[in-house]
Amino acid sequence: MSPPDRIDPPLPAAASSTKKRRASRGPACWQHARRGSLAAPAVFFAASGALVALLGLPAPRDVIGAWLILGLCVFALGHKRRWAQTLLRDFVPIFALLLAYDTLRGGAKDLLPTHYLPQIRADQALFGGSVPTLSLQHALWRGTPRWYDLALAAVYITHFLVAPLLAATLWKLDRSRFRRFMATIATLSALGLITYALYPAAPPWLASAKGFLPHVTRIVPAVWRALDVRLADPLIQSGYQYANNVAAVPSLHTAFAILVAAFVWPRRRRWLRPLALAYPAAMAFALVYTGEHYVFDELLGCLYAAVAILAVRAVARRRARRAEALAMA
């Protein structure tokens, strides 16, 4: 004889009615929340596109930081409140630190005399007496922008956007890699700031303006102004306002591009690795061609990026060993 079916005790009338109300409106509430979570990002992207079209791309780190934090908050709608608290805790101090770096970097240009000749002589030693910026501009620059000038100017501008966007992506997908990435950026920025203060160095366009080189065109602003494209005007004006014109050694544009490649480096799909290397290679070519850096600056940028990556990894390994020792004690 089979055992009798299980009979649940009857629920109180109030609990039963509450359960019925939740069950009846549950799917509708879920669909409403889902529509809201999809609509909010769409509105955010539409508003961002409209503002970029009207005002241009953002350049200052505080503006980019506020934009990224707002975007992440929009994607956080419907999540737990702790999610937003973690977002602010992780991002606000970092962007405050980088904003302070921008301010200090701009003030470091007047501390010591500017160096013009050592970078020129280093490139001449590397390339048999020629300066690659002069050779590239002689071969490619026609006085009016070609399609490749626009492409390379766009590559240069990505320096202001790619690292913050990667930071936001890593924060969303992998918090441990996000923390390593931001620690590496902070380390690299500190090393660069110290060097800029101790060794102010002029880029090729400024050396040309001071008579140390034949004519060099500063191609990035020339491209946008020649094409009468407002999209990048605020980025160029505000970005250069934030920048230190004699902070050329090392090239942090090159170093940041290498960091991006290192943190998106595919571990399994090896056929994607040339794509990861394409970004720093394109950045390096763009910087030399547009008159923003010497090859010597870029080589030092590669060295600084490697030092920052290895230093953060060494600290992480030391902390891991210390945590293991404490756990075993």
Side-chain angles (χ1 to χ4, degrees):
M1 183 175 180
S2 61
D5 294 336
R6 180 177 176 270
I7 300 176
D8 293 328
L11 291 172
S16 179
S17 60
T18 301
K19 187 175 181 180
K20 288 179 180 179
R21 284 198 303 270
R22 289 178 179 173
S24 63
R25 68 185 183 185
C29 291
W30 182 83
Q31 291 175 3
H32 179 73
R34 182 176 179 80
R35 284 195 296 269
S37 64
L38 294 176
V43 172
F44 172 76
F45 283 122
S48 298
L51 289 174
V52 167
L54 290 173
L55 304 176
L57 291 167
R61 293 183 196 263
D62 52 352
V63 176
I64 295 175
W67 174 66
L68 286 176
I69 291 173
L70 178 61
L72 288 171
C73 288
V74 167
F75 280 93
L77 292 176
H79 291 266
K80 297 179 180 179
R81 292 182 180 178
R82 188 174 297 178
W83 200 91
Q85 294 173 356
T86 305
L87 169 68
L88 296 176
R89 182 197 67 195
D90 288 344
F91 270 94
V92 170
I94 290 170
F95 279 107
L97 178 64
L98 293 178
L99 182 60
Y101 160 80
D102 276 341
T103 304
L104 294 172
R105 180 175 180 256
K109 59 186 177 183
D110 300 323
L111 298 178
L112 293 171
T114 301
H115 295 81
Y116 293 92
L117 291 176
Q119 305 87 263
I120 298 174
R121 291 169 179 166
D123 268 26
Q124 289 173 337
L126 290 170
F127 294 94
S130 64
V131 177
T133 296
L134 297 175
S135 302
L136 289 174
Q137 290 201 0
H138 178 75
L140 299 174
W141 178 244
R142 298 291 180 262
T144 56
R146 300 292 192 268
W147 64 268
Y148 51 83
D149 298 311
L150 180 58
L152 293 172
V155 170
Y156 174 85
I157 286 175
T158 61
H159 166 76
F160 299 96
L161 303 174
V162 169
L165 289 173
L166 178 59
T169 303
L170 291 176
W171 187 88
K172 178 72 174 176
L173 300 178
D174 190 338
R175 297 289 173 81
S176 63
R177 290 184 69 199
F178 162 79
R179 294 187 180 94
R180 290 198 304 273
F181 181 64
M182 298 312 296
T184 308
I185 284 181
T187 303
L188 178 60
S189 299
L191 293 174
L193 180 61
I194 294 170
T195 308
Y196 297 150
L198 297 178
Y199 188 85
W205 68 265
L206 185 56
S208 174
K210 296 295 184 178
F212 292 93
L213 281 176
H215 178 70
V216 172
T217 301
R218 198 176 190 184
I219 290 178
V220 174
V223 165
W224 297 113
R225 288 165 188 159
L227 295 179
D228 195 25
V229 176
R230 292 186 64 253
L231 186 65
D233 281 349
L235 189 148
I236 291 173
Q237 295 168 4
S238 180
Y240 289 168
Q241 208 170 36
Y242 266 69
N244 177 352
N245 286 335
V246 293
V249 176
S251 169
L252 286 195
H253 284 70
T254 304
F256 271 65
I258 290 173
L259 290 190
V260 169
F263 276 85
V264 301
W265 187 258
R267 299 176 182 177
R268 296 182 180 178
R269 300 177 181 178
R270 296 186 177 182
W271 59 273
L272 290 174
R273 292 181 178 180
L275 296 178
L277 293 174
Y279 179 57
M283 180 64 75
F285 184 86
L287 293 171
V288 173
Y289 169 62
T290 58
E292 297 294 335
H293 281 286
Y294 299 98
V295 174
F296 172 75
D297 308 343
E298 296 181 331
L299 293 176
L300 282 182
C302 296
L303 177 62
Y304 275 55
V307 169
I309 291 172
L310 294 175
V312 171
R313 288 182 179 176
V315 172
R317 285 195 296 266
R318 183 179 301 176
R319 288 182 176 178
R321 287 195 298 265
R322 186 178 301 174
E324 291 178 0
L326 291 175
M328 296 176 61

